[in-house]
Structure formats: structure tokens, C-alpha cells
């Protein structure tokens, strides 16, 4: 069973390219971020023609998360408990909740597609929002694990954090900037301290996952590693392979992010070698 995450940076602009990759790499489940559309605007047809079911959470032309799966999805959950909001206060005194988190269960594996807030600047309210969002996600994940002991779970997506100095091309460029600040890195480390595993790094997979469109960042390999799959030990035990698909940053109209994929030792209803029962 192949599971992947990809910040597609507008699904409507890249639907054909995304589906081509899904089919070519034989991906079963893809968590997408930054789809930048409402469900009714999502280019469903090209995914459905390729055999993928969809779960979509998008509110406007910003943010947005989704799943495309060849396997049945259940327990669909929009957002997580006490997820912080951001923006202008609503009439009821709360803040608007953005489309940044979507959970599904596939083959008894709990998967989340997550688009962590950017933070913008260290002095910006969005930075405080980012840290609060991550802490609530950590708490919600811990609570779910306590209620579902032994169940495999993966948090997948664009974390907008480069946890280590080697995850950016030049730390000097990021002096005083978001993505590498001590509080952000501590927030990421808190998931690992809770027992989650950085699936690709734990297997020695190297490479960036994001290159800005400006200043020839990709040809110069001036990138960042900010897209991750963090799995529980039960999820980690199922992983037989992991990869970062750098070549998807090449070619015509690419996303500025590339897919991160894991292969799991899980029998599915799509397996050709499942014995027939008479």
C-alpha cells in the first residue's frame, strides 16, 4: 500500500500532472495540501476517471486539504479538537477556522493531511497562531493515541518547519526568519518526543522537499525540507520503503513542493495476489 503527501499548490492548475504521477507511481492514497479551492471547484473528473475517490476540505482560494484514494476512506474528520482559528473575530467571538487539517482512515490506518500555518514573520500574529496550532495538534494526536492504543497513525503534510540546519541550503539566509526559529523547531520536536517517527529521515532519505519559484532556487538546489510523514511506532513498523520525489519539481508548471511517499506492508482489496475464498 503506497501512501504519499504533496503540497500541490493549486490542484486546479496541476490536476493532470498530479494524476499522472499517481498512476505512474501506483499510489493508493495521496494527502494533498494547498488545493486552493472549494469542494465544488475541485477537478474531480480526472481523479475519478483514474479510479480515485476524494475527500475535500476547502473554504476559498487559500489553503485547503484533500485526500485521493483508490481504497475506501472512513471516519472522515475535518479539523481536530480545539483547533485554533485565525483572522477577524466572528459574531460569536471565535476566530475563523481555516482549511488546514483533514483526517481519514484507510485499511485501519489513520491518516491526516495537514497544512501547518506559515508563520509569516516572528513578530506577526500568524507566528503565534502557528505555534498554538501545532500545540493543539500535538495534544489532539496524543489524546487520539490514548483512545486508540496500538493503532497506526501518520501525520502527513507541509509542516512549514525545517527542523535541522541541514534542512535549508544556507542558515545565514534564514537568520531572524520563520521556519527555523527555536520555538518552531521545539514544536516539531515535541511530536518526536511523544514517540512519533520522522519516517523518511529515520531511513536515511536525504533531500529537500520545497524550492521557491524565485531566484532560480531549484536549479541552484537552494531548497528546504519542510514536508514530512510522522508516524506512530505502529505505523513505522509497517513501512518497507520511503522516498522523496525530487523530479516532480521539474518540467512544466510544477508545484514548488514535491511528493513524499511511503510503502506499507499492508494487504489491501486491490492486491492481485489475495487468495480467492470460495
Amino acid at each position: 500500500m503506497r501512501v504519499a503527501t504533496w503540497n500541490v499548490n493549486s490542484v486546479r492548475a496541476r490536476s493532470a500532472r498530479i494524476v499522472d504521477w499517481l498512476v505512474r507511481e501506483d499510489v493508493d492514497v495521496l494527502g494533498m495540501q494547498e488545493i486552493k479551492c472549494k469542494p465544488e471547484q475541485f477537478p474531480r473528473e480526472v481523479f475519478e476517471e483514474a479510479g480515485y475517490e476524494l475527500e475535500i476540505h476547502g473554504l476559498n482560494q487559500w489553503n485547503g486539504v484533500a485526500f485521493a484514494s483508490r481504497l475506501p476512506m472512513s471516519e472522515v474528520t475535518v479539523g481536530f479538537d480545539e483547533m485554533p482559528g485565525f483572522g477577524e473575530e466572528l459574531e460569536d467571538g471565535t476566530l475563523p477556522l481555516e482549511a488546514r487539517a483533514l483526517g481519514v482512515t484507510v485499511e485501519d490506518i489513520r491518516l491526516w493531511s495537514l497544512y501547518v500555518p506559515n508563520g509569516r514573520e516572528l513578530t506577526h500574529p500568524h507566528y503565534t497562531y502557528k505555534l498554538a496550532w501545532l500545540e493543539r495538534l500535538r495534544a489532539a494526536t496524543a489524546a487520539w493515541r490514548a483512545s486508540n492504543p496500538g493503532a497506526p497513525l501518520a501525520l502527513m503534510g507541509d509542516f512549514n518547519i525545517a527542523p535541522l540546519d541541514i534542512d535549508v541550503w544556507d542558515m545565514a539566509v534564514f537568520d531572524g526568519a520563520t521556519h527555523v526559529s527555536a520555538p518552531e523547531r521545539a514544536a516539531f520536536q515535541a511530536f518526536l518526543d511523544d514517540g512519533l517517527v520522522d519516517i523518511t529521515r529515520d531511513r536515511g532519505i536525504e533531500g529537500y522537499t520545497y524550492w521557491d519559484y524565485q531566484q532560480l532556487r531549484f536549479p541552484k538546489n537552494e531548497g528546504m525540507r519542510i514536508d514530512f510523514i510522522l508516524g506512530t511506532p505502529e505505523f513505522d513498523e509497517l513501512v518497507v520503503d520511503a522516498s522523496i520525489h525530487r523530479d516532480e519539481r521539474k518540467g512544466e508548471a510544477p508545484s514548488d513542493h514535491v511528493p513524499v511517499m511511503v510503502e506499507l506492508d499492508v494487504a489491501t482489496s486491490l492486491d492481485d495476489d489475495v487468495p480467492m475464498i470460495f
Side-chain angles (χ1 to χ4, degrees):
M1 176 174 159
R2 291 183 173 178
V3 177
T5 179
W6 193 357
N7 179 325
V8 297
N9 190 16
S10 180
V11 70
R12 288 179 289 179
R14 299 177 229 290
S15 59
R17 178 169 185 149
I18 297 165
V19 172
D20 175 74
W21 180 80
L22 285 171
V23 173
R24 179 165 25 95
E25 295 296 331
D26 196 25
V27 179
D28 296 301
V29 186
L30 173 66
M32 290 173 274
Q33 302 86 43
E34 269 202 286
I35 61 170
K36 295 184 176 181
C37 68
K38 299 177 182 179
E40 60 268 26
Q41 299 171 315
F42 195 99
R44 290 176 172 272
E45 187 174 345
V46 64
F47 285 86
E48 291 172 347
E49 287 180 350
Y52 289 88
E53 301 177 11
L54 297 164
E55 293 292 346
I56 304 161
H57 176 40
L59 300 175
N60 47 42
Q61 74 272 29
W62 310 111
N63 311 318
V65 284
F67 275 99
S69 176
R70 298 192 296 196
L71 297 161
M73 293 179 281
S74 62
E75 300 178 281
V76 179
T77 307
V78 172
F80 48 85
D81 288 346
E82 299 183 34
M83 187 177 78
F86 185 80
E88 295 186 9
E89 193 173 281
L90 302 174
E91 292 183 1
D92 62 2
T94 63
L95 298 178
L97 298 179
E98 298 182 309
R100 293 185 175 274
L102 182 65
V104 300
T105 299
V106 180
E107 300 291 352
D108 296 323
I109 299 172
R110 189 66 175 160
L111 302 171
W112 282 89
S113 179
L114 303 167
Y115 180 43
V116 175
N118 176 282
R120 301 180 186 174
E121 298 174 355
L122 298 183
T123 57
H124 198 284
H126 209 260
Y127 179 76
T128 304
Y129 164 55
K130 178 179 188 175
L131 296 178
W133 199 94
L134 285 163
E135 171 52 27
R136 283 311 313 158
L137 173 64
R138 188 205 62 77
T141 301
W144 186 90
R145 292 179 66 193
S147 299
N148 299 269
L153 169 145
L155 305 179
M156 314 190 303
D158 178 357
F159 279 75
N160 269 314
I161 299 172
L164 303 178
D165 288 357
I166 59 172
D167 294 332
V168 298
W169 79 91
D170 184 354
M171 276 297 294
V173 174
F174 292 85
D175 184 36
T178 59
H179 292 64
V180 299
S181 71
E184 289 169 288
R185 287 181 166 181
F188 187 93
Q189 182 62 39
F191 290 97
L192 306 185
D193 292 343
D194 280 354
L196 298 189
V197 178
D198 182 342
I199 299 296
T200 51
R201 197 189 307 275
D202 193 59
R203 284 161 176 77
I205 307 300
E206 299 179 354
Y208 301 135
T209 64
Y210 164 85
W211 297 260
D212 194 281
Y213 291 124
Q214 306 300 318
Q215 301 180 33
L216 298 175
R217 294 296 190 205
F218 183 68
K220 297 176 183 177
N221 198 31
E222 295 178 346
M224 304 174 69
R225 185 172 185 157
I226 57 177
D227 302 84
F228 298 93
I229 298 176
L230 303 185
T232 59
E234 296 82 6
F235 182 90
D236 184 49
E237 289 176 1
L238 299 173
V239 177
V240 295
D241 196 15
S243 51
I244 296 173
H245 290 241
R246 186 181 188 276
D247 284 353
E248 289 309 306
R249 184 61 176 79
K250 300 177 181 179
E252 184 177 351
S255 170
D256 44 3
H257 296 250
V258 296
V260 178
M261 185 170 74
V262 294
E263 185 168 350
L264 308 177
D265 183 13
V266 174
T268 76
S269 57
L270 297 177
D271 291 339
D272 292 332
D273 57 349
V274 174
M276 296 183 64
I277 300 175
F278 296 90

